[in-house]
Amino acid sequence: MSSDILAVDPQAPSDDIGSAPTFFKEHGEFLELLEQVSQSAGNRASWSTDGSPSEERSALRSMACVLELYQEQPTCLDPYLERIVTRLMAVIQDYVSAYHSYATHRLDDSSDPVSIGRMSGIFDLLYTLCKVRGYKVIMRFFPHGVVDVEPVFGSLWLHSSQLAKSTWTARYILLIWLSLLAMIPFDIDSIDSGVSSLPALDAMAESNETSLVGKWIELGMFYLHRPACEMEGAAVMLSRLLSRKDTARILQPGFIEWAVDSINNATKGSQDVSARSSGLTVASVLKINGALRVLCHLFAAMDTVDALRPQMASLIELFQSDVFENHSVTRKLVTKATQRLAMLVLPPVSATSIARSHVRKSVRENLAPKDQTVPPGMSPDAPDNDSDEHGCEYGASDSAEISEEIELFIGVLLQKLQDKDTIVRWSAAKGIGRVSERLPLPLAQEIVGATAEILKEQTLTPSDGKPVDVSMTSEFAWHGSLLALAELSRKGLISPQALENIVPWVVRGLSYEIQRGDYSVGSNVRDAACYVMWAFARMPNPDSRRVFSKMCAQMSTALVSVAVFDREPNVRRAASAAFQEHVGRHSLFPHGISVLQVVDFFSVGNMRNAFVVASRKIAEFEEYREPLLHHLCTNTIYHWDAKTRELAAAALFELAPLAAEYVSERLLAEIVSNTVSPFLAVRHGAIIAAGVIAETLASHLLKDDKLTKMILSVTDGIPARYLEDFGASLTLGALTAFIGSLSRSGWSMPNSGAQQKYFDFFVQAFTTCREADDIVVNFEAFVDAYGVSAQQHNDIKADNTSRIIWTDAESAYSRLALALSVSDEGLRQKLFEGLVVTGSAMPLGRYAVSAVANYVETLSLPSTASDMHQEFDAEGGSGRSVDSIVAELTRLLLTDRRTSKLINPALIVTDQLIEQGSLYATSSEIFGAGDGDGDGDGAGAGSEDRIAEIDALLTETEWVRDDDRVKEARARLVSLVKAATALPSENANMV
């Protein structure tokens, strides 16, 4: 083997960093672009130009596009972050130093000028890195030497004084860089060389501050009033600057007083009702948000609450104010500041005590023999020094007195759990968990109880054992309460006694949904309930396992039902994740691994696969079969979304045969009773569900007369208004599906009038429904089983050669065309009009036209006018022919009382029939002047002109209701019909 084959190019890019693989696939190309950009931007000769060269801009755009691909997996960039950021920051560091020197000192006239916007592309790329990976991670690789403090500060000040020339990304990067430099372990006064020569900032009065710290705070306060990222960067910078040992004692109290005064001044004039209804101004909101942001960061960095004591009363009043009710971000910042202030007031002792107590108890149980609950030598009745009489573990320090301020803060957080915005509720939920963790466990248990009580507000508990009625509840309150319970359970603050009471309410939250018009609310509540279930599995308290062992059946079946039957993919996946967490940590759920292989993340992502395939596989396990059917028939089948109801019916088709007795004895009666529900979604779902059960369980149901009568009674109780009012198309579609199910499964007619009633339903469906594919399939089964009429059904069965094979929708419409030959004039006319209306709707219109055309081809086609006269004379004008179809189309076109509904569809159908040649020969006889040549190829020149005129009339006229052109076109068509000399008198009278 040649040695050069094994040679490895040391410069070749590798997919590995050391021995660890990397998943940053584009790293080779990215690093090449990085080197290209670094060399271009590091060229000092180009720093005088405003903006980057075109090649550099193109490379920067390509790099940004690559980085944005990793927003969902940002950790894939970690092996290369240091190399990327340090390379870019090296260029920025040189540029900032040069720009600061040029702009502030101007050493000599020969100094090369440095443009303020030269590095805008590099700053944009650094911001993209911060957006993808987070500024806290990116900041770790920023330069942080003492020599960088004044150049960065001076550059940021100069950028701030020229806002029109600089970019916001440049200012943001300089702000977070300065926040890192604010943590240098040296006295800031010792590195202050004087900043008195700096220009005044825009929109700020001339300041008397001359020290670096004073100017630094002034710069941060300037950016607190600016929107978005600059405000956040300034808040982080100020909080770190004011948390230093050399600035905290002197500057913190004054700054906090300024922040509180800024908020109070911005809210002045909004205390009365009229001003509050109009809301705060944009400038006031920016000032309030900036002050609140810096307070949040400052509270997190402070060690004691001493600097806050003078402002505590104002802060409490601010947190309880309702002047921010129209501003969600402000309410979120208020909530965040409340929880952080509460944590600052509380001693950080209980968290360690609680965590250690759970670990100690878990270790004791793990060390004990399998037949004992405590280690040898320890009495099971021995008292636990870490437990109270209720079984709650806490340390000796938990007896400390809790101030009244904490109660106020907790009250604010509990109120914010019911806020109308998700970001506020989520912040309040996290605050409840964090604050409760530092409280004595008895008080934490009270918070758990208060949070759980929110779920019970405005609920109704039926006496018949049905689920709790949540129709009057607030989805915001449920969502916030469930999020808080998840945070409390993750921290082990829910006792086993409380857990037994909470689990049923969480299970109820898994199916929470309230319909509001044509949509529903509650998907966020169900997602939060899945989060609580997931958090239950991660509870550090070992006593929780005993509770889960008793309630595992209820929890597992509820999670599986949501994982396969929920409409929202994120909820299905959340339920799957919660189920997986319990299986992995407790192994209490029956058939956990087997079920988990069916309801994995990808399987439940597809709605049809989850409903039909996954549910069928899980139902093979007896423990899940009846709960799945119960959830399907009491919840999903009545869903507000029609597509979901149809998928639920498909799932019921798969699951019902697995538990025939349970479905027929426990579920069928309620389904049949709901078929006459005044609510459209309930009625539609119940009818299609009854049809599915009748089809899949026909052999079982037909053995019981009571069940047979129950199924056949579905079509008897439908009020006529449900077939005419709003939603009639859904109801008729469900009824045709029900009849099709009966037809396919061999059900007999309950009485002689049932066949007529079923046919009427189909006629109304074809006239009303715009989408008729499913109706056609069901009509196929109906005709095959019962026929259009008894005589016709017998005739078709006797002569097998005349049967039409049902292969597709077009063939089905051919069968419909055959139905036009029924003897009942009323039924024939309704069906014909239904076909005509359907013929104007695409894409099904061509099938309706084909149906009429095929029917036309089956009728007698007279070759001459005399033959046609003889035919009608022999049959007394009652025969059916091509001419009668043309006459009926003409009658529909000329019917004034039905113009608004039928004139345009009839014209469209007639036009399409003429185009495909079905009416050509007949039209030449009817509308011609009797000058046909009798050879079957049409008529003379006169009739050809007439047909051309008809064709133009039907194709060139824009048919708009009540339009003058419609009236004119109708008049021209009337004149054409009156001029037809070949029509017999009987047919003319019909026209």
Side-chain angles (χ1 to χ4, degrees), residues 510-528:
L510 289 172
S511 58
Y512 185 99
E513 190 161 29
I514 301 176
Q515 187 171 354
R516 302 279 175 81
D518 59 349
Y519 70 98
S520 71
V521 296
S523 61
N524 58 341
V525 176
R526 301 195 301 277
D527 185 72

Side-chain angles (χ1 to χ4, degrees), residues 834-856:
L835 284 172
V836 170
V837 173
T838 309
S840 66
M842 295 302 292
L844 298 175
R846 60 189 182 90
Y847 296 139
V849 174
S850 297
V852 178
N854 291 342
Y855 178 47
V856 168

Side-chain angles (χ1 to χ4, degrees), residues 450-580:
T451 305
E453 283 297 321
I454 297 177
L455 300 176
K456 303 178 183 179
E457 295 178 358
Q458 296 182 332
T459 58
L460 300 175
T461 304
S463 58
D464 55 359
K466 292 184 178 181
V468 174
D469 184 3
V470 296
S471 58
M472 301 298 293
T473 61
S474 167
E475 70 272 19
F476 305 138
W478 269 69
H479 183 244
S481 178
L482 288 172
L483 289 177
L485 288 174
E487 293 297 315
L488 292 168
S489 63
R490 285 181 59 197
K491 300 178 185 300
L493 299 175
I494 302 181
S495 66
Q497 294 83 359
L499 193 61
E500 292 183 6
N501 298 325
I502 291 174
V503 168
W505 288 95
V506 178
V507 170
R508 180 63 184 89
L510 289 172
S511 58
Y512 185 99
E513 190 161 29
I514 301 176
Q515 187 171 354
R516 302 279 175 81
D518 59 349
Y519 70 98
S520 71
V521 296
S523 61
N524 58 341
V525 176
R526 301 195 301 277
D527 185 72
C530 293
Y531 177 41
V532 179
M533 286 292 192
W534 178 88
F536 282 166
R538 301 175 67 91
M539 288 182 67
N541 189 349
D543 293 334
S544 62
R545 182 181 174 85
R546 295 198 302 269
V547 179
F548 296 148
S549 63
K550 293 188 296 184
M551 312 186 76
C552 63
Q554 182 182 9
M555 296 170 63
S556 61
T557 54
L559 284 173
V560 166
S561 298
V562 175
V564 295
F565 289 144
D566 197 274
R567 178 178 181 268
E568 308 300 330
N570 63 303
V571 178
R572 295 197 300 271
R573 285 171 168 166
S576 173
F579 189 92
Q580 177 182 355

Side-chain angles (χ1 to χ4, degrees), residues 8 159 215-216 251 296 365 468 544 679 709 769 803 932:
V8 178
H159 275 261
K215 288 287 187 181
W216 204 330
L251 300 176
C296 289
E365 293 184 355
V468 174
S544 62
F679 301 104
K709 292 179 180 179
C769 302
R803 299 196 65 180

